[in-house]
Amino acid sequence: MLRRLDKIRFRGHKRDDFLDLAESPNASDTECSDEIPLKVTRTSPRDSEELRDPAGPGTLIMATGVQDFNRTEFDRLNEIKGHLEIALLEKHFLQEELRKLREETNAEMLRQELDRERQRRMELEQKVQEVLKARYQQAVQPCRALTGPLPPAERRSQGLSSRLQKWFYERFGEYVEDFRFQPEENTVETEEPLSARRLTENMRRLKRGAKPVTNFVKNLSALSDWYSVYTSAIAFTVYMNAVWHGWAIPLFLFLAILRLSLNYLIARGWRIQWSIVPEVSEPVEPPKEDLTVSEKFQLVLDVAQKAQNLFGKMADILEKIKNLFMWVQPEITQKLYVALWAAFLASCFFPYRLVGLAVGLYAGIKFFLIDFIFKRCPRLRAKYDTPYIIWRSLPTDPQLKERSSAAVSRRLQTTSSRSYVPSAPAGLGKEEDAGRFHSTKKGNFHEIFNLTENERPLAVCENGWRCCLINRDRKMPTDYIRNGVLYVTENYLCFESSKSGSSKRNKVIKLVDITDIQKYKVLSVLPGSGMGIAVSTPSTQKPLVFGAMVHRDEAFETILSQYIKITSAAASGGDS
């Protein structure tokens, strides 16, 4: 600590160059004001008259002397101000250095305490061993006293056993200590902060790591598709011959050894390409040092999209396997159940060589011939490829939820149509009758927006589009942005606020009153065309913006087509 403090030197003048504290200005250690009071000398009336009188003796000399004195005083005060600023900087620097030194000393103290604890543990272990040894000797001494002195032969045998014990401990004591049970240490992995550069580097590493696996899958699919007829024919002949003679497992082991040998030669600098499908080298983009906010955001979106798709595929596979074993569709699981029973009985009553031969022959014919025909003829595959049909027909959890919700909605529609058919007018159809009772989460649709009963959402937006309404005419934060759901009817554009309260927070716009509608980008920094729709009406000074819409394009096309339909109908009606 003293060595580090010796390196810090005071960068100002010496202490003797400063003014006396009685003459120095009032300045604290924490702030240094620019307004420094000047020392003004008061003159007597006589002196002032002499100064005013240009003909007085020595007036020019005295005025020059006063000005020089004031200048030197002002210069000295400025110099003191600079010294004070330097002293403040030195103080802050010293405080920072002291803080760092305290942190380091704390770390050193913790290390010292850890070493002390280790030494204490070792000392306690030695003491325990000494106590056990002393107790053993105390227990043995009475027996020796009763039995008397040992004969020389027994003494020699004890000495031999102790030497043997010592030799055994010296040779194998280290290995015996390895088997001592100790509590596991829970290590917490440190998480790295989010960084665009680190993200791109990890993506490249992932591609490089998955490249051998992807190449292996491509070569297998090329063999099955007969990409190279000569290679596929040789592979089919060798495999079927190995299975027929019972050499299938040695064949796979030999191929693994051959692949490792080739990898060794490639690592030593040999140029060897053993691939059915030629490898395509992708252009490697040099990493960018500085990325803009838009590029960083686009990079995060791309990675999030890839991760979303990958996790979605993995979740579909796992959910299908789970539903296959959980009898979600009994007719599919029944086939697997019968196949497992057949395999079990065959393994019990037939020799292993015959079962292995049958499985190997079926796998070779299926991989090289049947899959080739099914890939070339999709209709045959859809009719006769049993594993493919079973896998495609297995549902995932979202599909099961959609089926259950569709079944419940069908039941509700049938019950509502049966209950309201007698009270419905004769001129109304089934669709109009069902539309009269369309409801949202808070109640009936026409009651929430104070519309007629025949106004209901279109089929495209029956459940509405989640969005937020940005009303830039309002100044209050609660009225400026509202979260809710947007609906489109035949004549209206309806926004239902998600906050519970009066219906004044909802918004109803006539399609005829819309003067302009266009796609809108709320934040210009973000990439893409945005996720908002701007609607202009005569009653608003600034356009109403429906932002944060995931299905923005679909909503825009629906509103625009319905707007054109209504305006064209109104124009044709006015012309007639």
Side-chain angles (χ1 to χ4, degrees), residues 513-534:
D513 296 339
I514 295 176
T515 57
D516 186 21
I517 177 173
Q518 58 184 351
K519 296 180 180 180
Y520 187 77
K521 188 176 182 179
V522 180
L523 296 176
S524 59
V525 181
L526 301 180
S529 59
M531 299 174 66
I533 298 174

Side-chain angles (χ1 to χ4, degrees), residues 128-360:
V128 169
Q129 290 180 0
E130 290 176 357
V131 169
L132 292 174
K133 190 174 182 181
R135 288 181 180 177
Y136 175 74
Q137 289 178 357
Q138 289 176 2
V140 171
Q141 281 179 0
C143 298
R144 288 180 179 176
L146 293 174
T147 55
L150 295 174
E154 292 185 2
R155 289 178 184 176
R156 285 195 298 272
S157 63
Q158 282 188 356
L160 182 62
S161 63
S162 62
R163 286 196 298 271
L164 183 62
Q165 236 177 12
K166 187 177 179 181
W167 176 83
F168 181 80
Y169 184 78
E170 288 177 356
R171 289 296 182 92
F172 303 101
E174 184 179 357
Y175 302 103
V176 173
E177 290 292 331
D178 292 339
F179 287 94
R180 179 178 292 180
F181 291 100
Q182 295 179 356
E184 295 183 359
E185 297 180 358
N186 296 325
T187 57
V188 180
E189 296 182 359
T190 57
E191 295 183 356
E192 296 182 1
L194 184 61
S195 172
R197 185 175 181 180
R198 188 66 175 171
L199 192 60
T200 53
E201 184 181 353
N202 290 339
M203 289 294 295
R204 293 193 185 96
R205 289 172 56 195
L206 183 62
K207 288 182 180 179
R208 289 195 299 267
K211 189 176 180 180
V213 180
T214 54
N215 291 336
F216 179 72
V217 174
K218 285 180 182 178
N219 290 327
L220 283 181
S221 61
L223 281 176
S224 178
D225 295 339
W226 292 74
Y227 180 83
S228 175
V229 180
Y230 181 73
T231 306
S232 298
I234 292 175
F236 177 70
T237 305
V238 171
Y239 173 78
M240 296 300 286
N241 190 16
V243 170
W244 183 259
H245 292 89
W247 295 342
I249 295 176
L251 175 65
F252 289 123
L253 293 176
F254 175 74
L255 290 176
I257 295 170
L258 181 61
R259 181 72 253 187
L260 285 175
S261 304
L262 291 176
N263 291 339
Y264 174 76
L265 295 177
I266 292 171
R268 300 291 292 178
W270 291 43
R271 294 183 179 180
I272 300 173
Q273 184 178 0
W274 188 41
S275 178
I276 301 172
V277 182
E279 296 182 0
V280 179
S281 60
E282 298 180 357
V284 179
E285 297 180 358
K288 296 182 180 180
E289 296 294 335
D290 297 328
L291 296 175
T292 61
V293 178
S294 178
E295 291 175 347
K296 289 180 180 178
F297 187 78
Q298 187 64 38
L299 176 64
V300 173
L301 286 180
D302 294 339
V303 175
Q305 184 180 5
K306 292 179 181 178
Q308 172 190 344
N309 297 333
L310 178 62
F311 293 157
K313 292 178 181 178
M314 294 173 63
D316 290 342
I317 293 171
L318 295 176
E319 287 175 356
K320 285 186 176 184
I321 295 172
K322 181 199 71 172
N323 295 330
L324 175 63
F325 286 97
M326 293 304 294
W327 294 82
V328 175
Q329 283 191 347
E331 64 275 6
I332 296 177
T333 312
Q334 186 178 2
K335 296 178 180 178
L336 176 64
Y337 190 72
V338 173
L340 290 175
W341 270 109
F344 172 73
L345 294 175
S347 63
C348 291
F349 294 102
F350 293 100
Y352 176 75
R353 183 180 178 84
L354 184 60
V355 174
L357 178 62
V359 172

